[in-house]
Amino acid sequence: MRMHHGKTTAAVVMVSALALAGCSGGGDSSGAPGAAACEPSNGPVELTYTAWVPGMDQVVELWNEENPDIQVTVQTGPNGNAGTYRNFFNQLQAGNAPDLGQIEYDALPNFRVQDGLENIAACEGIAEASDQFIDWTWSQVTFGEEDAVYAVPQDSGPMAMFYRADLFEQAGIEVPTTWEEYAAAADQIRGEGGYIHNFQRADVNWFAGLVWQAGGQWFSSEDDGWEVNLTGEESMQVAEYWQGLLEDDLVSTVPSFSDEWNASISQGEQWTWVSAVWGTRHLQSAAPDSAGKWAVAPMPQWEEGQSAASNWGGSTTAVLKGSDHPYEASQFALWLNTDPEALALANELGGLYPAATAGADLEAFSGKSDFFGGQVVYDVFAEATQNVDPEFTWGPTMTQTYTDVSDGFGEASQVNQPSWRPSSALNSKPLSR
Amino acid sequence: MSTPTVPLSTAEKIHSRGPRESVMSRAAAMLIMGVFTLYFLTPIWWLLVTSTKAGGEITRTAPLWFTPNSISTFFANLIELFQYQDGLFIKWLANSALYAGAGALLGTIIAAMCGYALAKYEFKRREIIFNVVLSGVLVPATALALPLFLIFSEVNLTNTYWAVFLPSLVSPFGVYLARIYAAASVPDELLEAARLDGAGELRTFFTVSTRLMAPALVTIFLFQFVAIWNNFFLPLIMLRDQALFPVTLGLYAWNSQISQIPELRTYVIIGAFVSIVPLIIAFLGLQRFWSSGLSAGSVK
């Protein structure tokens, strides 16, 4: 049974961004908007940069060779949500945060409301760099504020649909281009003994990506705070769509990124995966046997003829509050994320798909991929990047939101119970800090 | 362990062999122990088996049995693990050994001296001090990590060896055990004799008392060693430079990156296996002291 919720329950969560900013301990908080002056320091400068992209130290080595007066030390830790963000907040409180930190787009608002970021808009070349980056990534780092740049976009995760070209062809099923066709194909695929997709209940940001594509918004920043609304029209549309697939047993429900899931992929049980650009690497390692059988197509659309895409993942390089050298730090961040040589190395070693528009021209993205049957897969992703809605904003309570929604999915995920219910998961938990 | 053939009086049974068990209850006990042994050993067995597999084989092959080329894959994995990022894993192992080895050794000496003093010297408010130390057993180390971070930040010692090493020296449970054991095993008469012979208090402690307390000290050492080796939250909060990471934190950091760098999965698995080997060695090597020390503490 499907429930239809006409009323939208919006929860105003943040008391006030400014009030919170006033509470946080780190650095000097000049409450007024607009960037402070950003002047170079005298003499040699040493910067620290905390990130978890593998091989980042080698990328930074390039910078250190060219800039003897601005030496950067890379410190590597666990993923942001696995501990590094918590550490950043602790360090901001203690006043010993690194000069620069890697922060994902969905975590950036949390740092902003807790006043953990330096506004680097006045630093040389930063504000002018806006046209060097993919539109939607730039709107993430400015929060729509005037004279404000709080981080430099690093990488992005444009989404598309991986699919088993061989299986679709054998079964004579058309590769779906709309979500309607996708649901129909799901039915046929179930008849063939496979699943069209796996419902990734722990990956709420995957689900958010689907809502993003549908034009939904979870957060909006108002004058007096943040508004959170998980049950807008588009969110409910997406939730009910997947709920339908779940109820009809057309999607599998194994934990994502688990051995079980990898096995399911390599056994050919998973026919499609709507995922981000970094999924190319994951598929190749999870299912090396299926090389040559995969292909990539744009995400299915809600309305025929559209070309809306979405994004899953991606980071920024932020100058953290209290840095003694915001000018040098901002120059490094800009170089790191726009210099072709740095971008190429970060892609090679860390698998980053650059947020800089020039990144699409990298040699690594121009070749045909044998794993994907000779397709130039990155063309699909480069196009997807252009079709990501720049209006989507993340909120300051993402960690909490992810936990709440994932718990909601989890409660609904008892197999053989008629309550597989992403939509009620979105409804059940009002957000709270 | 054989059942007595000659009938004994009830009193004799209790004194000589304890109450006689029925076959049923022994079988039940063995069964329960067997189930638990299986329960605890299966994950380790899985770890051993899985570390002999190459990336793709983990999902394709039987999870609890080896592949034909297990041995060569195991060594290949091991070599790759040790070479990855210029031998970072070896560095982590060395760090763990330093934190746990030196930390447990010094921590044991401190706990032993403290417990011994509380047991053997009369002074004012002795019981209050002991109770305060004892209440420290109840405070989980995790709860102290953040306050410790803020304190260490004040003195600019975060992200250094000291940030993990110094807090590891403290063991309230060690003090408790040392006191109980010293009270039970070090006779006052012996200390009197040593004093009469002109030995200083320190010399008495190190040459006479520590020998008598040896089983307890080994127990404290093992407890501390395992606690520091497995300590995760404190290093997570304190350290930013991965050259300082202990092996637990390092593996955790790798594990959090598997979705980006899938080949790390193999390294995390074999790394986890390698990281428990020192613990197994420590346990097997010090086992006999461990058990006697434990019972000494518990009987009291």
Side-chain angles (χ1 to χ4, degrees), chain B residues 95-107:
Chain B
N95 288 342
S96 272
L98 181 65
Y99 292 133
L105 194 68
L106 266 173

Side-chain angles (χ1 to χ4, degrees), chain B residues 97-155:
Chain B
L98 181 65
Y99 292 133
L105 194 68
L106 266 173
T108 305
I109 294 172
I110 293 170
M113 292 177 104
C114 187
Y116 174 80
L118 286 167
K120 289 294 157 193
Y121 298 105
E122 296 277 348
F123 53 93
K124 253 178 143 183
R125 304 201 176 82
R126 178 168 84 159
E127 289 312 311
I128 295 176
I129 291 173
F130 181 61
N131 287 335
V132 169
V133 172
L134 204 55
S135 63
V137 178
L138 300 176
V139 182
T142 315
L144 297 175
L146 186 56
L148 279 172
F149 172 79
L150 295 174
I151 294 170
F152 275 74
S153 293
E154 289 294 315
V155 290

Side-chain angles (χ1 to χ4, degrees), chain B:
Chain B
M1 289 294 163
S2 62
T3 37
T5 47
V6 186
L8 298 167
S9 73
T10 318
E12 275 174 325
K13 267 189 226 170
I14 288 169
H15 280 124
S16 60
R17 297 178 190 267
R20 195 169 153 190
E21 317 142 60
S22 76
V23 178
M24 283 296 283
S25 77
R26 280 179 60 178
M30 290 307 284
L31 186 71
I32 291 171
M33 281 194 287
V35 168
F36 274 95
T37 310
L38 207 64
Y39 179 80
F40 287 117
L41 288 185
T42 309
I44 296 176
W45 176 250
W46 179 87
L47 196 59
L48 171 66
V49 170
T50 310
S51 56
T52 66
K53 292 177 182 173
E57 290 176 344
I58 297 173
T59 51
R60 281 201 309 266
T61 55
L64 290 180
W65 199 244
F66 300 97
T67 56
N69 50 359
S70 271
I71 295 176
S72 62
T73 316
F74 178 75
F75 286 105
N77 284 348
L78 208 58
I79 289 166
E80 274 181 51
L81 168 75
F82 287 144
Q83 285 174 346
Y84 186 67
Q85 291 186 350
D86 300 328
L88 189 60
F89 187 79
I90 297 175
K91 181 97 186 131
W92 290 343
L93 274 182
N95 288 342
S96 272
L98 181 65
Y99 292 133
L105 194 68
L106 266 173
T108 305
I109 294 172
I110 293 170
M113 292 177 104
C114 187
Y116 174 80
L118 286 167
K120 289 294 157 193
Y121 298 105
E122 296 277 348
F123 53 93
K124 253 178 143 183
R125 304 201 176 82
R126 178 168 84 159
E127 289 312 311
I128 295 176
I129 291 173
F130 181 61
N131 287 335
V132 169
V133 172
L134 204 55
S135 63
V137 178
L138 300 176
V139 182
T142 315
L144 297 175
L146 186 56
L148 279 172
F149 172 79
L150 295 174
I151 294 170
F152 275 74
S153 293
E154 289 294 315
V155 290
N156 287 327
L157 276 182
T158 58
N159 198 29
T160 61
Y161 272 106
W162 301 109
V164 176
F165 184 75
L166 290 179
S168 303
L169 297 179
V170 181
S171 168
F173 180 75
V175 174
Y176 163 78
L177 198 62
R179 181 190 178 169
I180 300 295
Y181 202 89
S185 68
V186 184
D188 287 337
E189 297 77 14
L190 199 62
L191 298 182
E192 285 302 317
R195 283 181 194 127
L196 284 179
D197 286 345
E201 294 299 325
L202 264 182
R203 187 170 163 198
T204 315
F205 173 75
F206 280 111
T207 54
V208 180
S209 308
T210 50
R211 305 225 167 141
L212 293 169
M213 290 165 68
L217 299 189
V218 173
T219 307
I220 296 169
F221 179 84
L222 263 179
F223 262 125
Q224 266 307 82
F225 188 87
V226 175
I228 302 171
W229 188 277
N230 288 336
N231 194 358
F232 162 73
F233 200 64
L234 185 73
L236 172 70
I237 283 190
M238 288 288 188
L239 302 178
R240 304 208 301 241
D241 185 351
Q242 63 176 349
L244 299 176
F245 284 6
V247 71
T248 43
L249 180 57
L251 288 174
Y252 175 78
W254 276 357
N255 192 43
S256 76
Q257 293 163 2
I258 282 182
S259 66
Q260 295 149 324
I261 305 292
E263 52 269 32
L264 282 177
R265 176 182 293 268
T266 311
Y267 301 150
V268 169
I269 287 169
I270 192 164
F273 177 72
V274 172
S275 78
I276 60 170
V277 170
L279 292 184
I280 294 174
I281 292 173
F283 261 84
L284 294 184
L286 299 172
Q287 201 177 26
R288 53 205 175 95
F289 304 104
W290 164 268
S291 52
S292 62
L294 256 189
S295 59
S298 61
V299 166
K300 189 82 180 185

Side-chain angles (χ1 to χ4, degrees), chain A residues 80-349:
Chain A
N81 283 319
T84 297
Y85 294 150
R86 182 101 318 271
N87 284 352
F88 282 162
F89 284 121
N90 291 342
Q91 290 152 2
L92 285 164
Q93 195 179 356
N96 58 6
D99 296 283
L100 297 127
Q102 177 180 1
I103 300 177
E104 287 152 298
Y105 295 106
D106 55 0
L108 209 55
N110 199 6
F111 281 89
R112 171 70 190 114
V113 297
Q114 302 205 29
D115 199 27
L117 307 171
E118 288 282 352
N119 185 352
I120 52 172
C123 299
E124 190 188 331
I126 298 291
E128 298 77 35
S130 67
D131 55 359
Q132 293 185 50
F133 293 92
I134 298 160
D135 281 349
W136 76 263
T137 63
W138 195 257
S139 65
Q140 300 289 316
V141 299
T142 59
F143 299 102
E145 294 174 32
E146 292 286 318
D147 292 328
V149 179
Y150 289 101
V152 178
Q154 182 166 55
D155 68 318
S156 69
M159 289 175 79
M161 180 178 74
F162 298 99
Y163 67 98
R164 284 289 295 268
D166 60 325
L167 296 178
F168 273 94
E169 200 179 307
Q170 278 164 27
I173 303 172
E174 285 280 309
V175 177
T177 57
T178 66
W179 286 111
E180 206 183 326
E181 288 173 20
Y182 191 82
D187 210 29
Q188 291 174 283
I189 289 169
R190 196 69 196 100
E192 301 278 334
Y195 286 103
I196 197 164
H197 208 284
N198 180 50
F199 185 72
Q200 306 183 214
R201 75 168 177 85
D203 300 314
V204 181
N205 40 9
W206 166 78
F207 191 81
L210 299 178
V211 173
W212 188 342
Q213 187 215 10
Q217 281 282 2
W218 279 1
F219 302 90
S220 49
S221 126
E222 309 286 331
D223 286 344
D224 56 346
W226 290 76
E227 183 141 338
V228 184
N229 181 4
L230 297 185
T231 52
E233 195 188 328
E234 295 86 357
S235 304
M236 294 306 284
Q237 181 187 10
V238 175
E240 282 166 12
Y241 178 85
W242 286 90
Q243 188 178 310
L245 294 179
L246 284 164
E247 281 171 0
D248 297 340
D249 186 37
L250 300 180
V251 287
S252 62
T253 56
V254 298
S256 41
F257 302 104
S258 64
D259 287 339
E260 200 182 350
W261 184 58
N262 289 345
S264 175
I265 294 174
S266 53
Q267 286 157 13
E269 200 175 60
Q270 303 286 337
W271 284 41
T272 77
W273 185 28
V274 178
S275 180
V277 60
W278 41 264
T280 50
R281 288 167 80 96
H282 185 84
L283 283 180
Q284 293 182 46
S285 83
D289 296 346
S290 59
K293 297 174 180 167
W294 290 89
V296 182
M299 286 174 85
Q301 299 297 313
W302 286 104
E303 281 180 35
E304 217 175 319
Q306 280 185 334
S307 56
S310 192
N311 185 79
W312 178 11
S315 299
T316 67
T317 308
V319 180
L320 294 175
K321 201 80 183 182
S323 167
D324 291 332
H325 310 288
Y327 175 85
E328 286 77 9
S330 67
Q331 299 307 304
F332 166 76
L334 190 60
W335 170 88
L336 180 67
N337 298 312
T338 54
D339 183 81
E341 208 182 337
L343 294 180
L345 196 59
N347 171 261
E348 184 192 329
L349 300 173

